[in-house]
Amino acid sequence: MATTQTSHGILADSQSAAREHVVELLTRAYWMEVETVMSYIAASTNPDGVRAREIVESLEEDVDEELGHARQFAARIKELYGVVPGSLDFTAEQSYLQPPDHQTDIVHVIKGVIEAESGAIEHYNAIIERTEGVDPVTQDMVIAILRDEEGHRRLFEGYLREYEMEGLA
Ligand SMILES: [Fe+2]
Ligand SMILES: [Fe+2]
């Protein structure tokens, strides 16, 4: 008796509701990463001044890393029988990561990055909680991505501390 159905795990027929829910969570994560790529391209290009170099180089690296995250979320959406959305479904949310009035205002950029990373950390923790016992593969993937975001936030918290120490933030 040949069958193409699997009876175990998140791909099982009986799991279609859970799967749709996970795809929704992954789609939100995908958009967050795509918007972060846009914001970090701008934030790594706009700044002026010698003080900005470290931040610029750090964000240039992050652009590639966040793009990698977006691709992983897209691939997982597809694996769960979802469809990666088109650009017309996109709604921007990162008001805090718009270019500052002055391109030497690095503190604005640092704070914006910390807020973006914090938002990702919050959402990814929620995905990890909701996939517990339901979809270990998604959970495992998101745990690895969460570690990257925690690393990003920690790095930029360090930058902010430095500016605060100098009375610049
Ligand atoms: Fe990311
Ligand atoms: Fe990040």
Side-chain angles (χ1 to χ4, degrees), residues 4-20:
T4 57
Q5 298 299 328
T6 173
S7 58
H8 289 91
I10 191 70
L11 296 184
D13 255 5
S14 60
Q15 288 295 92
S16 68
R19 208 159 51 232
E20 274 169 36

Side-chain angles (χ1 to χ4, degrees), residues 111-129:
K111 287 181 174 170
V113 169
I114 291 172
E115 189 156 351
E117 298 296 342
S118 300
I121 287 166
E122 195 178 313
H123 185 53
Y124 301 167
N125 271 298
I127 297 179
I128 290 163
E129 274 170 35

Side-chain angles (χ1 to χ4, degrees), residues 59-88:
L59 283 172
E60 280 170 351
E61 276 176 34
D62 285 354
V63 167
D64 294 330
E65 214 164 313
E66 310 297 9
L67 180 60
H69 295 162
R71 285 187 160 136
Q72 287 185 68
F73 283 119
R76 190 61 187 153
I77 289 167
K78 177 72 174 172
E79 285 163 4
L80 295 180
Y81 302 126
V83 175
V84 181
S87 57
L88 287 181

Side-chain angles (χ1 to χ4, degrees), residues 35-48 52-63 94 96-100 102-114 116 156:
E35 185 171 14
T36 299
V37 168
M38 284 193 272
S39 294
Y40 286 7
I41 288 174
S44 65
T45 307
N46 288 330
D48 283 322
R53 287 320 304 167
E54 186 88 11
I55 308 296
V56 162
E57 279 164 27
S58 181
L59 283 172
E60 280 170 351
E61 276 176 34
D62 285 354
V63 167
Q94 293 179 347
Y96 45 85
L97 256 178
Q98 302 308 299
H102 302 284
Q103 301 315 318
T104 50
D105 186 357
I106 302 308
V107 171
H108 171 91
V109 174
I110 295 171
K111 287 181 174 170
V113 169
I114 291 172
F156 276 77

